[in-house]
């Protein structure tokens, strides 16, 4: 891989350029490049200084890593200072590159260290790695691309960057970090770049130089590239092909665990995103497993699991792990822990299946691990079933491994299985078609459960021991039961030993017969055989053994005729619940045998087991037996008829027995009394066995049957009291017994407690209480559940006993049972609640004698405080618990407790006052109990002596908990709603408290509480106020206003809106605004601008919540309040609402207060939404409001306006000037709220107050604002209102004081607004008087500029609106406007200029045809406004330019092209006369736009005039010499712009029109008489520039046009090399040659190949080589183009000969020639009069004298030209090689080394490349 990387780097390096070592400036610049120092510092350093610093850095690196020491003898040796890689051999440089790459690899992990940077500085400064090793340098630093060091490296790397790293160019130029997405995009798009980065990473890993940053970079970029390729829909094969080779290399890097981990991460992403074949995934898996190490095996295992996980296999196609992979996995020491960790993060089920299958196949000794993993809930049920089937198939094979069998048996016996493995094994047995019975015997374990209840899963988990002894050995050593019955509790050990023998003998009939016939073990006269078989039937041994026992029992029953075996019924009925069909079938057969026996034998001599069935102890004595008749009826009527169903359904026997004891079911057909007696006997028979049987499996089966009956004859708990009374006390013993029988204790106890019912006697109650008190997990839980189920059946006394027990358990911290949850599920009656509420004593009762003793013994009081507090604390806990229960039990249904609850509330308040006990939570719960009762109570149910509002208020004040306070406030709200008189006298303390506390809470509950309190309490107060009780509304609102800053921002509006609406908006809204206004003033006076602004914004939003009428009336009242405030508070009357607020304020502060009041309300009125809402009220079509509402609203408006006008009139003096101004602003805001027709009515009155000019001015501003914002053109109401106010406005302007220019200006601005809105639709109203007013002395002719501008703008609007109606005024208006405009331009009045431009714009727009006569003058002024002088005096030149541009644009688009062109041409002389650069540029740009946008027809019609203009523009250099000398650049710009215009014109002309114009232009330049040669020269120059553009743009279309200037061109070329007297004109020469180049390049019709034109031009053109202009490419390009266009052998020879002649030595002529002689003889005679031939030697002498060139320069110019010809024509020119070779040979020995070098390095290589061979053999 390193070789591949080297190849890539060399390929890149071959394409990049290096620094020239011959260029001194480049060497200096290269030396100044530094990684550490600034260029200015680095340029002054010598290499010795840099070396010493670098060597010091290397030594520091050596101290960190000794591997760096090797570089002391190479890169950092003392001799390295003298190394110059530019003069070294290729082998030396290759070795140097290798050393550099080695150092970079080693130092890359420490790049950010300062010593590393010092060392790298040496490599850059000495070895130029930033130029010679750019690729490896960038790759080394690329992992640090987000660090600033990378930007520094990019800065020092030589530009241009290598092609693969071109994406870094922008980062290099801008010196900014490269964005990660840019890097990822580059790696994604460029596969070669990505491969290079990967190869570099692999090479670092292989050389053991990898580091964390590099690996992280490679991992993250690779993953990002995979995701990007996937997003781009790249084929999966392409992604895999790009990634897999590099990943494979890293996986095998066993010495780099971290690198392997990085590769694993990429693999995981790759397999999850890309669909790979099974073969590739298997190869990945093998590579991972076979190459991981101890350090990487954990991450490798994680990757391996995901590779297997993403294999495309179904649930039935799993295969074991490859043996080699499995071997590697098994070697992991921490495999189990690693698997657990991996599975907690990702899915590994498919891997787990393959792993388990491999264990089954290759590692059966570890089979226990199989079931451990299966039990871990890792696999799906389908997968688990697949694995278990594989295990079972392996286990039933003849050569099955014993360990596998043992593990399978252990899984079946496992009691702690979380995944129900045993049931899945049973399902798998059925699915796989394996014989269950055979498997049970083979494994010696029961797979099929013997019963059907939840214990069935446990029943099959039995202890089994391997068969170590033969059947005969066991039989010989067996001992019979000493108790006389195997059913005795103490016979268990003997039974288990005998059962093992029995199970072992089941497989062979002779063994079983041998066992059962052994009289020693089973004496003939004993009951041992039957007891053994009965116990075997209900055991957990294999089903085959149980079935065999039933068979033997059937044989016994068949033989023993005189014995009553009714005891076996219990065991046979239990066997009917067995899950084995075979067992149930045999059990039913035995029962049928019994039924037959009782039918045929009416009397039995002996009852089997009567005295010793369960031994000789109490167990047997407790049994109840059935009489013969009852026994027969039970079997005949209940059991036998339904045995078939029992065989089919193992649960059906429950129904059979249940029906037998259920008193609601009668089946025998006998008398009811007789059948009831039978049921009682059967019930007692079964119940006695439940109590007495030592076998919990039998107990359980019978309990399930008996508790399934709907109604039993008597209480089951009383019959089973022996079992129940000691169950809790001896719980451990019972549990041990259940465990020994492998029964589930929880299932058994669940059934056990079900025998207790609510109607049971003391036994059942005692049993449940014992179970609860025992606090045993499981038992207590089921007892609690049973109590809840049977609760309604217990009497009150029993219920109280249960509750007291549960309360004590809840309060006992040691109890683990959730007694509180049980209590919460009980339906507790009100009577019981009353009893348990009275239990806790918060205030201990003290007898009088004790009180006197306490008074006498104060010293002993402190000793009794602690016990008393403990007692109260315990009572408080109990009370809280009871209240919680009451809260959860629908308190509203316990209304009788209200008085008791309030009494408790009082006690709690006393406890809080007298102690530090925490009562807040108790109070909160108590309120939660009282509140629903109040809310659902009737007023008649409330008694004044029951409810103590004073206690509630005290609780609110004393509580520190917001939650508790909120609860009490809700209680007050509920009381106020139900009975206001109860809370009336306690309201203000409550609201004062709310203002100080509750409103500050920012939670939903507090907000709800406030809303409820306000909505419930305030109406009650208002109602009481109407009846004469005092009610302080101001104080109430003030409590909320004072709390305003503390109320959460998002709750303020809703709170104040609710408060105001509840109080009544008509009475309280103005009051709220007043108090908010006072607060606003306080904030402003304290310079709290942010808070005051926030309050204003609040007021605006707050007012939106009320109707329009309510708002306006409140505003009116508010303004009235403000008006009535006297400055002298001594004159204030008692009815003034602000007297209390203004106490202590000086008159100045009172005035400031009044001003702020108006400002506050004004800010709240400035809202468009308010205007639209008010307009909807006044709208005639409004149906929501009747006339009375509209009348009231108008009255409110009128009153508000009157108040404001009164303020304005009263405060007209200077003392109240600010107040008056604020009143004006407020008036504007108020009237703007009005509909437009009412607005006009009010404003007309204000505008008519001519004696008060300020009021008129403010009114005009208001009118204009109103119509601008609210009026629509289509609104007839607005239009009529405008027409109504129009005369009033005109009158105000006409009658205004002549000195009041501000009023006039505002008047015209208002007229402008009205005209803009309605002038077009109502022109009659604006024509006539309005126009006359505008153009009169008070309008456009006003001496005040501001007023004049307003009038001009208004006139512009009138022109736009009236259109043709303005024609009558045009002769008067336009001249006047021109005069005003000219004066304004000269005086610099920018506003006037802009306004005039806008007016002219309007004229042009509306009546363009009538502006033609004024066009020249208008353009004259337009261009004048752009002059340097005008711009200098105009302040806002940008605005003027914008207006000017707009006007010109309008003129171009509206005025016909012919007229506009004529006016522009007429203005040309004026513009040139000013010789102002800006004016000229504006004129030409306008001309260009007109031509560009003009039609072809229009331009063709004016082509002659336009070319006159163009020729005038070409002649610009011939103007006044002083102007040209001052600014030749202006003339050149004019020429360029005119050429552009000419090209635009040409594109719109045809050949017929343009050809004559071209000829005319050529004659104008070449032939027309001119005053001087300079003029001629200037004309020729500009025409040739035009021709160059023409031939370059139109190409072959106009090539033939060159014939008109061919002679002139030849003459000019000759003059350049002939006229020794005239100086060489380089500018003209380049123009001519460039024109020829353009003409040659676009010749497609062999125009230049014609001999007449070739002969005319060839010699003069080639003679230009004599000028020796080697630095210019112009001539070279022309000659090459000429050669290409003249593609004939003859022409080639001519050109070649001419060029070669200038390559020869032209100075070897002995004859001296004077300049005059040279001029005479420079041209040879020719037979063809049109042909011009020039002698090279003669030309060279004259031409180089003019250009200042040397003979060598001429040679070099010719060499360069010939080189270009060979490069362009290639093999076509090879025929000229014979003539060239001698000349080349001569030049290779030229005395001038420059000539020789040019030929050798430039010409010869080009010829050889064309020739395909070396030129040496031709030269020798």
């Amino acid at each position: 891989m390193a070789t591949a990387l080297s190849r890539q780097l060399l390929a890149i390096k071959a394409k990049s350029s290096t620094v020239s070592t011959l260029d001194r400036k480049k060497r200096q610049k290269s030396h100044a490049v530094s990684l550490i120092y600034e260029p200015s510092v680095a340029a002054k350093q010598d290499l010795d200084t840099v070396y010493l610093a670098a060597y010091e850095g290397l030594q520091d690196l050596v101290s960190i890593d000794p591997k760096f020491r090797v570089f002391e003898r190479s890169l950092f040796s003392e001799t390295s200072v003298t190394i110059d890689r530019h003069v070294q051999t290729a082998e030396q440089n290759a070795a140097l590159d290798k050393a550099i790459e080695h150092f970079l690899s080693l130092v890359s992990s420490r790049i950010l260290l300062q010593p590393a940077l010092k060392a790298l500085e040496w490599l850059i400064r000495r070895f130029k790695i930033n130029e010679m090793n750019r690729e490896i340098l960038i790759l080394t630093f690329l992992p640090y691309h987000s660090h600033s060091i990378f930007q520094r490296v990019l800065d020092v790397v030589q530009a241009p960057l290598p092609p693969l790293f071109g994406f870094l160019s922008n980062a290099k130029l801008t010196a900014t970090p490269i964005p990660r997405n840019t890097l990822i995009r580059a790696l994604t798009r460029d596969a070669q770049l990505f491969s290079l980065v990967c190869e570099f990473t692999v090479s670092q890993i292989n050389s053991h130089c990898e580091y964390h940053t590099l690996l992280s970079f490679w991992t993250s970029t690779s993953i990002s590239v995979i995701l990007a390729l996937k997003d781009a829909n790249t084929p999966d094969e392409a992604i895999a092909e790009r990634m897999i080779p590099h990943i494979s290399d890293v996986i095998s890097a066993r010495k780099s665990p971290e690198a392997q981990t990085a590769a694993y991460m990429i693999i995981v992403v790759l397999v999850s995103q890309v669909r790979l074949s099974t073969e590739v995934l298997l190869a990945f898996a093998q590579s991972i497993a076979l190459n991981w190490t101890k350090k990487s095996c954990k991450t490798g295992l994680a990757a391996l699991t995901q590779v297997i996980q993403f294999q495309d296999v179904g649930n039935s196609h799993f295969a074991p792990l490859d043996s080699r992979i499995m071997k590697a996995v098994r070697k992991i020491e921490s495999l189990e822990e690693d698997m657990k960790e991996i599975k907690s993060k990702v899915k590994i089920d498919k891997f787990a299946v393959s792993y388990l299958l491999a264990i089954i196949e290759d590692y059966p000794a570890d089979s226990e691990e199989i079931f451990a993993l299966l039990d871990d809930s890792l696999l799906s049920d389908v997968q688990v079933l697949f694995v278990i089937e594989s295990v079972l198939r392996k286990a039933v094979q003849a050569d099955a491994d014993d360990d596998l069998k043992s593990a399978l048996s252990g899984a079946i016996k496992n009691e702690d299985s979380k995944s129900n493995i045993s049931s899945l094994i049973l399902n798998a047995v059925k699915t796989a078609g394996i014989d269950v019975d055979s498997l049970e015997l083979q494994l010696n374990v029961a797979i099929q459960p013997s019963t059907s209840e939840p214990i069935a899963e446990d029943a099959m988990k039995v202890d089994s021991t391997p068969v170590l002894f033969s059947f005969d050995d066991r039989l010989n050593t067996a001992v019979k039961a000493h108790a006389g019955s195997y059913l005795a509790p103490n016979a268990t050990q003997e039974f288990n030993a005998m059962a093992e023998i029995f199970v072992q003998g089941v497989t062979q009939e002779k063994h079983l017969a041998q066992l059962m016939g052994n009289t020693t073990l089973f004496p003939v006269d004993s009951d041992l055989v039957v007891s053994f078989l009965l116990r075997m039937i209900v055991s957990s041994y294999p089903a085959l053994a149980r079935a065999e026992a039933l068979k033997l029992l059937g044989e016994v029953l068949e033989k023993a005729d005189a014995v009553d075996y009714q005891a076996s019924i219990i065991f046979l009925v239990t066997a009917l619940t067995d899950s084995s069909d075979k067992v149930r079938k045999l059990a039913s057969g035995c029962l049928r045998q019994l039924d037959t026996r009782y039918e045929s034998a009416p009397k039995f001599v002996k009852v089997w087991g009567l005295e010793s069935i369960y031994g000789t102890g109490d167990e047997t004595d407790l049994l109840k037996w059935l009489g013969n008749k009852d026994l027969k009826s039970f079997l005949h009527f209940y059991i036998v008829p339904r045995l078939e169903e029992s065989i089919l359904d193992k649960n059906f026997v429950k129904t059979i027995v249940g029906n037998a004891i259920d008193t609601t079911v009668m089946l025998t057909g006998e008398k009811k009394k007789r059948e009831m007696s039978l049921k009682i006997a059967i019930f007692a028979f079964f119940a006695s066995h439940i109590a007495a049987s030592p076998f919990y499996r039998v107990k359980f089966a019978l309990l399930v049957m008996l508790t399934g009956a709907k109604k039993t004859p008597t209480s089951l708990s009383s019959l089973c009291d022996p079992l129940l009374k000691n169950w809790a006390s001896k719980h451990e013993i019972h549990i041990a017994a259940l465990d020994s029988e492998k029964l589930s204790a929880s299932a058994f106890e669940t059934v056990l407690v079900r025998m207790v019912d609510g109607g049971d006697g003391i036994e059942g109650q005692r049993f449940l209480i014992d179970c609860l008190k025992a606090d045993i997990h499981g038992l207590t839980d089921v007892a609690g559940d049973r109590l809840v189920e049977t609760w309604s059946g217990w009497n009150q006394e029993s219920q109280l006993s249960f509750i007291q027990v549960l309360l004590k358990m809840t309060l006992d911290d040691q109890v683990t049972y959730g007694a509180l949850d049980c209590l919460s599920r009980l339906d507790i009656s009100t009577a019981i609640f009353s009893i348990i509420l009275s239990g806790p004593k918060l205030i201990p009762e003290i007898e009088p004698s004790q009180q006197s003793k306490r008074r006498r013994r104060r010293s002993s009081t402190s000793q009794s405080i602690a016990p008393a507090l403990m007692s109260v604390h315990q009572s408080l806990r109990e009370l809280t618990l009871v209240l919680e229960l009451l809260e959860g039990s629908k308190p509203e249904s316990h209304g009788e407790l209200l008085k008791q609850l309030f009494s408790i509330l009082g006690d709690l308040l006393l406890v809080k006052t007298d102690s530090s006990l925490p009562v807040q939570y108790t109070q909160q719960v108590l309120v939660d109990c009282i509140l629903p009762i109040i809310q659902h109570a009737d007023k008649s149910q409330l008694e004044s002596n029951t409810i103590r509002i004073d206690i509630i208020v005290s609780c609110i004040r004393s509580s520190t908990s917001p939650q508790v306070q909120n609860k009490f406030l809700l209680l007050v709200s509920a009381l106020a709603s139900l009975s206001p008189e109860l809370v009336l006298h306690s309201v203000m303390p409550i609201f004062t408290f709310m203002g100080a506390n509750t409103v500050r809470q920012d939670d939903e509950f507090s907000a709800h509480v406030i809303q409820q309190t306000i909505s419930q309490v305030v109406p009650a107060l208002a109602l009481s106020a109407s009846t004469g009780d005092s009610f302080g509304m101001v104080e109430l609102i003030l409590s909320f206003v004072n709390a305003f800053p503390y109320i959460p921002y998002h709750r303020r509006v809703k709170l104040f809106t609710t408060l105001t609406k509840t109080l009544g908006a008509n009475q309280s809204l103005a009051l709220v605004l007043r108090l908010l206004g006072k607060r606003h003033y306080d904030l402003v006076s304290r310079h709290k601008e942010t808070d005051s602004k926030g309050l204003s914004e609040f007021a605006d939003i707050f007012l939106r919540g009320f109707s329009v009428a309510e708002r306006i009336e409140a505003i009116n009242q508010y303004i009235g309040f403000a008006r009535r405030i006297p400055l002298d508070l001594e004159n204030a009357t008692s009815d003034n609402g602000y007297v209390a607020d203004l106490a202590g304020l000086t008159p100045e502060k009172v005035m400031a207060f009044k001003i702020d009041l108006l400002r506050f309300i004004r800010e709240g009125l400035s809202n468009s939404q308010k205007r639209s809402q008010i307009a909807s009220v006044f709208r005639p079509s409004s149906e929501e409001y009747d006339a009375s509402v509209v009348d009231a609203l108008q009255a409110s408006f009128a009153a508000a306006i009157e108040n404001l006008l009164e303020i304005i009139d009263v405060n007209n003096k200077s003392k109240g000037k600010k107040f008056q101004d604020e009143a004006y602003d407020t008036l504007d805001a108020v009237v703007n709220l009005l509909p437009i027709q009412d607005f006009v009515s009010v404003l007309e009155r204000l505008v008519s107050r001519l004696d008060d000019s300020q009021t008129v001015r403010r009114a005009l501003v208001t009118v204009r604002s109103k119509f601008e914002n609210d009026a629509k053109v289509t609104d007839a109401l607005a239009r009529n209102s405008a027409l109504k106010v129009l005369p009033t406005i005109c009158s105000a302007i006409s009658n205004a004081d002549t000195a009041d220019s501000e009023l006039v200006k505002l008047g015209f601005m208002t007229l402008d607004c009205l005209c803009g809105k309605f002038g077009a639709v109502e022109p009659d109203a604006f024509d006539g008087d309005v126009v006359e007013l505008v153009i009169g002395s008070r309008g456009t002719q006003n001496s005040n500029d501001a007023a004049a501008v307003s009038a001009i703008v208004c006139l512009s609007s009138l022109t736009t609106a009236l259109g043709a109606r303005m024609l009558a005024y045009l002769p008067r208006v336009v001249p006047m406007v021109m005069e005003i405009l000219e004066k304004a331009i000269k005086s610099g009045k920018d506003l006037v200029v802009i306004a005039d431009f806008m007016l002219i714009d309007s004229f042009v727009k509306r009546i363009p045809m009538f502006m033609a006569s004024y066009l020249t003058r208008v353009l004259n002024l337009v261009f004048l406004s752009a002059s340097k002088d005008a711009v200098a005096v105009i302040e806002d030149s940008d605005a003027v330019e914008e207006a000017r541009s707009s006007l010109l644009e309008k003129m171009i688009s509206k005025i016909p092209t012919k007229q506009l062109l004529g006016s522009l041409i007429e203005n040309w002389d004026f513009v040139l006369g000013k010789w102002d650069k800006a004016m000229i540029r504006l004129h030409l740009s306008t001309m260009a736009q007109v031509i560009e946008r003009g039609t072809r027809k229009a331009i063709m019609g004016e082509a002659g005039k336009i070319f006159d203009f163009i020729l005038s523009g070409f002649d610009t250099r011939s103007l006044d010499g002083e102007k040209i000398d001052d600014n030749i650049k202006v003339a050149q710009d004019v020429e360029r712009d005119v050429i552009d215009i000419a090209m635009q014109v040409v594109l719109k002309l045809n050949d017929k029109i343009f050809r004559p114009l071209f000829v005319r232009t050529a004659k104008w330049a070449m032939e027309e008489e001119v005053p001087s040669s300079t003029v001629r020269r200037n004309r020729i120059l500009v025409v040739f520039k035009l021709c160059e553009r023409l031939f370059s743009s139109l190409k072959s279309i106009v090539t033939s046009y060159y014939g008109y200037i061919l002679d002139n061109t030849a003459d000019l070329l000759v003059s350049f090399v002939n006229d020794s007297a005239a100086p060489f004109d380089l500018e003209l020469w380049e123009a001519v040659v460039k024109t020829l180049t353009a003409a040659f390049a676009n010749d497609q019709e062999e125009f230049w190949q014609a001999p007449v034109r070739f002969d005319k031009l060839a010699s003069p053109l080639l003679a230009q080589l004599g000028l020796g202009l080697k630095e210019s490419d112009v001539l070279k390009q022309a000659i090459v183009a000429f050669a290409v266009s003249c593609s004939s052998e003859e022409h080639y020879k001519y050109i070649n000969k001419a060029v070669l002649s200038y390559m020869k030595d032209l100075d070897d002529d002995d004859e001296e020639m004077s300049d005059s002689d040279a001029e005479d003889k420079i041209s040879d005679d020719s037979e063809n009069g049109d042909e011009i031939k020039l002698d090279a030697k003669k030309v060279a002498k004259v031409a180089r004298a003019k250009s200042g060139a040397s003979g060598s320069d001429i040679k070099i110019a010719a060499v360069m030209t010939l080189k270009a010809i060979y490069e362009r024509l290639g093999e076509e020119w090879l025929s000229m090689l014979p003539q060239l070779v001698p000349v080349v040979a001569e030049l290779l020995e030229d005395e001038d080394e420059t000539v020789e070098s040019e030929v050798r390095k430039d010409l010869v290589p080009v010829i050889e490349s064309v020739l395909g061979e070396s030129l040496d053999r031709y030269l020798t």
Side-chain angles (χ1 to χ4, degrees), residues 935-969:
Q935 290 172 340
H936 291 80
D938 187 82
K939 185 174 182 179
S940 60
Q941 296 175 326
L942 300 182
E943 300 177 2
S944 58
N945 61 345
T946 300
I947 299 175
R948 296 281 305 278
I949 191 67
D950 57 322
I951 293 178
I952 297 176
V953 174
S954 298
C955 289
I956 292 174
R957 288 179 164 179
S958 62
S959 178
T960 58
S961 169
Q963 290 294 97
V964 175
Q965 295 165 358
N966 291 339
K967 295 284 186 180
F968 280 113
L969 288 173

Side-chain angles (χ1 to χ4, degrees), residues 216-232:
S216 298
F217 168 76
W218 178 58
T219 305
S220 62
T221 52
S222 297
I223 292 173
S224 298
V225 167
I226 293 173
L227 298 177
L229 289 172
K230 193 66 178 176
D231 290 341

Side-chain angles (χ1 to χ4, degrees), residues 257-330:
E258 189 176 2
Q260 286 184 318
T261 300
Y264 297 154
M265 294 172 65
I266 300 173
I267 288 174
V268 171
V269 176
L270 182 64
V271 299
S272 66
Q273 296 294 320
V274 178
R275 189 181 182 90
L276 300 175
S277 65
T278 304
E279 293 76 13
V280 173
L281 291 174
L282 179 60
F284 260 146
Q286 290 177 343
S287 181
I288 292 171
L290 298 180
N291 286 289
W292 68 37
T293 62
K294 286 187 177 181
K295 293 183 178 180
S296 64
C297 62
K298 182 177 180 179
T299 53
L301 179 63
L304 177 63
T305 61
Q306 296 310 292
V307 170
I308 302 297
Q309 187 69 27
F310 283 98
Q311 284 185 351
D312 190 10
V313 295
N315 288 327
S316 60
H317 296 84
F318 292 109
L321 282 180
D322 179 79
S323 58
R324 292 181 297 170
I325 297 176
M326 188 64 180
K327 185 177 181 181
V329 171
R330 301 291 292 175

Side-chain angles (χ1 to χ4, degrees), residues 223 436 592 683 706 839 1392 1621 1728:
I223 292 173
V436 183
R592 284 192 178 93
F683 185 69
L706 297 190
V1392 178
N1728 187 352

Side-chain angles (χ1 to χ4, degrees), residues 45 60 149 201 696 729 750 1014 1120 1151 1188 1232 1331 1385 1393 1412 1482 1614 1643 1723 1765:
Q45 293 176 327
D60 291 338
I149 188 63
T201 306
Y696 286 84
S729 59
T750 301
I1014 292 173
M1151 177 57 72
S1188 61
N1232 268 313
V1331 177
I1385 291 172
V1393 173
L1482 179 62
V1614 171
D1643 181 13
S1723 177
I1765 292 174

Side-chain angles (χ1 to χ4, degrees), residues 140-208:
T140 302
F141 280 86
L142 195 57
Y144 300 92
H145 63 88
S146 60
H147 197 278
S148 58
I149 188 63
F150 187 70
Q151 300 170 38
R152 187 61 184 160
V153 170
L154 282 183
D155 185 52
V156 303
V157 171
Q158 185 187 40
L161 294 175
L164 283 182
F165 297 100
F167 69 97
L168 299 173
S169 299
N170 186 58
K172 176 177 174 62
L173 291 174
T174 59
T176 56
I178 174 176
R180 178 173 173 79
N181 59 343
T182 301
L183 175 61
I184 299 302
R185 187 164 55 249
L187 292 171
T188 304
R189 292 177 178 176
D190 194 337
Q192 187 179 358
L193 174 64
F194 179 76
S195 176
L196 179 65
V197 172
C198 291
E199 294 292 351
F200 171 75
T201 306
V202 172
S203 68
Q204 291 286 89
I205 294 170
N206 290 339
S207 59
H208 311 301

Side-chain angles (χ1 to χ4, degrees), residues 1142-1163:
L1142 304 178
L1145 294 182
T1146 63
E1148 291 76 12
K1149 290 185 177 181
V1150 172
M1151 177 57 72
F1153 176 49
K1154 294 176 67 173
I1155 292 171
D1156 190 71
L1157 282 176
L1158 292 182
R1159 183 183 300 115
F1160 176 68
I1161 198 64
R1162 173 175 56 80
E1163 291 173 351

Side-chain angles (χ1 to χ4, degrees), residues 878-915:
E878 184 177 352
L879 175 63
T880 305
L881 177 59
V882 176
L883 290 174
E884 287 176 341
L885 291 175
L886 179 59
E887 181 188 9
S889 303
K890 297 183 179 179
E892 61 271 17
S893 62
H894 303 285
E896 296 86 347
L897 300 175
L898 185 61
K899 183 175 182 179
Q900 189 176 1
L901 293 176
F902 266 99
S903 176
I904 294 172
L905 182 62
D907 293 344
L908 287 174
L909 184 61
L910 289 176
V911 170
K912 179 175 177 59
T913 305
D914 297 340
S915 69

